Amino acid sequence: MRVLHVCDAIDPSVGGGTAERTFQLAKALVRAGIAVTVLATDAGITKARIDDLTDVELVLVGSLLRRFYVPRISSAKIDDLVLQADIVHITGHWSVLGARVASAARRHGKPYVFCPAGSLRIFGRSSILKRIFNKLIGYETVEKAAYCLAVTELEREQFHEYGVADSRIVLLPNGVNPTESGGASGERFLRGLELEQGAQLILFLGRLSPIKGPDLLLEAFCKVAGRYPQAHLVFAGSDEELGSKLKTQALSSEFGARIHFVGFLGGLAKHDALAGADFLVVPSRQEAMSLVALEAGLAGTPVLLTDQCGFNEVERIGGGCISGVNVDSLSESLDKMLSEVATLDLMGARLKQLVLERYTWDGLTSDCLTLYEKIISKCR
C-alpha cells in the first residue's frame, strides 16, 4: 500500500498542529511498513524536519502567496503523485493544494479521506474568501471524500453542518509518539528563563493568533497574578497576528516582569518547556483536540483547556481543568490550579496514563490502516 499525505506545510513553525499531525501519522505508517509520500509546500521548512522525514518520500513545492499557500505545482505532477498512490489522505480544509489533489483523485478514480483538523468552521480573517473557497471547491472536497476524519466528537457535529452523514464520519483523534520526548529537561528550560527558585510556570504553546486565545490568557493571568507573586506566564509561539499587541500589553502591565515571550519552540526545546511547566494552558476559541495537550500529558504536566478544544476528558479523569472561552472563567481556573500546587503532580500522572493508554500514534495507526484497507477494497 502507498499513501499520499497532503497538507499545506509540514513544518510546525508555520503549519502548527496540522503539520505535526501529518508528520506523526506519516512516521507511524512507515513504522507499520507502509510506503508514504508527503506533499506540502516548503513554507517554514527546516533541515531538522527534512532529516526527520528521510524514511518518507517528501515532495516540497513553492508557494506563490505564503499567506494562502497557493502552490507552485503543475497539474501533471499532481496527477503523477495521485496515480502512484492507493489512497490519498488530505489534512486541512482551507487548502488550495488539498483541493487540487482531491480534484485529481476524483478524476482518476482514486479514493481519498479528508481531515480538516479543526478548520471546518469559518473563523478569523478572510471570511469572505473562505466562503468563496467553500462555494467553488471546499464543499465538493468534503462531499466527495470516501470518509471524513473527525479529530473530536465536536468536529463530528461540524461535519453535519456540511451535510456529511454519520455513516461517512470516522473518529481518528490526535496522538503522540512517546519516544519524541526522550531527553527532555524541564530544568534546562527553567535555567534559560533565569527564574527565581520556587517560581510557578504557566505555559502557553502555540501560535499567537486570535483562534488560539492568547489574549484571553494574558488578561486572565493579570487578574490573578497579584495573588500569586511566584507565578510566571510564558508564551511560546510564533507571533502571527497578536504578537506585537500582546507584548505591548504585557510591558504596560504591572506584572510585565513575569510575562515572557520566547518565540516558537520545536523539537527538544518544546519538550523541555512542557517538562518545566507547572501546567499548560490551551485557551483556544476553536481547537480540534490540542496536540500540545497530549504532549503535556506525555511529560506528566497537567493542562487547563477551554470547552472548545474537544478534550473534556481531561477534567473527567482528573488530569486538569476545563474552562469557558472567556476571561472570567479562565481566571477562575487559573486561580484553582495555582492554589492547588500539591495536586498538580497527581493530575499530570493521570493525564500521562490516559495519553499512553489511548493516544499514541502507533495504536491509532492500526485503526487508520483498517479504514484505508476497507476503502481500497471497495474501489477494486
Side-chain angles (χ1 to χ4, degrees):
M1 182 192 302
R2 175 168 287 277
V3 182
L4 172 62
H5 272 277
V6 184
C7 62
D8 274 338
I10 195 61
D11 196 288
S13 62
V14 294
T18 300
E20 194 63 20
R21 178 181 170 92
T22 302
F23 170 79
Q24 293 290 356
L25 181 52
K27 296 281 286 184
L29 286 168
V30 169
R31 289 195 294 274
I34 305 301
V36 177
T37 300
V38 171
L39 171 62
T41 72
D42 59 5
I45 195 68
T46 59
K47 183 179 183 299
R49 178 48 53 111
I50 292 172
D51 290 345
D52 284 339
L53 286 165
T54 53
D55 48 2
V56 170
E57 182 186 357
L58 183 59
V59 180
L60 298 175
V61 299
S63 182
L64 298 172
L65 296 171
R66 281 302 168 112
R67 180 179 168 191
F68 299 109
Y69 299 110
V70 178
R72 291 200 304 264
I73 183 173
S74 68
S75 295
K77 179 61 175 177
I78 290 176
D79 287 345
D80 181 54
L81 291 170
V82 167
L83 286 168
Q84 290 179 43
D86 295 297
I87 190 165
V88 178
H89 189 133
I90 299 168
T91 305
H93 182 49
W94 310 110
S95 170
V96 175
L97 181 60
R100 287 183 64 188
V101 172
S103 178
R106 293 193 296 271
R107 285 198 314 273
H108 295 294
K110 293 284 186 174
Y112 67 90
V113 295
F114 169 72
C115 177
S119 62
L120 269 182
R121 283 184 175 154
I122 294 173
F123 186 94
R125 298 182 298 174
S126 309
S127 61
I128 293 175
L129 285 176
K130 288 175 180 177
R131 288 188 176 91
I132 293 171
F133 176 92
N134 263 349
K135 187 173 182 179
L136 293 177
I137 49 178
Y139 283 119
E140 186 176 22
T141 299
V142 178
E143 290 167 1
K144 298 295 177 64
Y147 280 90
C148 293
L149 304 182
V151 178
T152 66
E153 287 297 335
L154 187 62
E155 193 163 54
R156 182 189 295 274
E157 297 173 14
Q158 295 170 13
F159 272 121
H160 294 163
E161 297 168 10
Y162 278 67
V164 182
D166 269 322
S167 60
R168 289 182 49 239
I169 303 171
V170 173
L171 184 66
L172 185 69
N174 280 332
V176 290
N177 177 8
T179 64
E180 291 285 318
S181 60
S185 167
E187 291 183 2
R188 183 164 51 216
F189 182 69
L190 295 172
R191 284 198 304 271
L193 289 176
E194 299 181 348
L195 299 185
E196 66 273 17
Q197 189 173 7
Q200 292 177 283
L201 182 58
I202 303 165
L203 178 66
F204 171 93
L205 189 59
R207 292 177 290 123
L208 302 183
S209 171
I211 196 170
K212 299 294 186 180
D215 52 323
L216 300 176
L217 176 57
L218 178 59
E219 191 174 343
F221 175 76
C222 289
K223 287 188 69 172
V224 303
R227 296 195 292 277
Y228 301 97
Q230 298 301 311
H232 288 251
L233 174 60
V234 174
F235 287 101
S238 53
D239 276 357
E240 294 284 330
E241 301 112 293
L242 294 180
S244 297
K245 180 181 178 182
L246 292 173
K247 289 172 184 176
T248 299
Q249 290 177 339
L251 284 172
S252 63
S253 164
E254 62 180 299
F255 308 111
R258 292 195 272 139
I259 303 169
H260 313 268
F261 294 84
V262 298
F264 172 78
L265 297 179
L268 189 57
K270 174 180 66 174
H271 293 292
D272 283 352
L274 288 166
D278 284 79
F279 59 93
L280 173 78
V281 183
V282 186
S284 296
R285 292 177 167 93
Q286 183 176 302
E287 185 87 33
M289 193 180 184
S290 169
L291 263 173
V292 292
L294 296 176
E295 291 170 336
L298 202 58
T301 300
V303 296
L304 162 58
L305 307 99
T306 68
D307 55 13
Q308 294 304 300
C309 293
F311 199 22
N312 290 2
E313 190 177 9
V314 163
E315 189 168 74
R316 288 196 296 272
I317 58 97
C321 292
I322 300 297
S323 162
V325 189
N326 60 77
V327 171
D328 288 341
S329 185
L330 276 169
S331 62
E332 289 173 9
S333 297
L334 283 174
D335 190 34
K336 179 180 179 181
M337 293 192 76
L338 285 167
S339 65
E340 297 181 355
V341 178
T343 67
L344 293 180
D345 284 346
L346 179 58
M347 286 184 181
R350 289 170 178 157
L351 184 57
K352 183 172 185 175
Q353 181 179 359
L354 173 71
V355 170
L356 290 176
E357 287 179 355
R358 297 184 54 187
Y359 297 109
T360 64
W361 272 123
D362 284 339
L364 293 169
T365 299
S366 63
D367 297 334
C368 191
L369 279 173
T370 298
L371 178 63
Y372 289 166
E373 289 163 358
K374 175 183 176 181
I375 295 169
I376 292 168
S377 66
K378 279 185 177 180
C379 294
R380 284 176 179 154

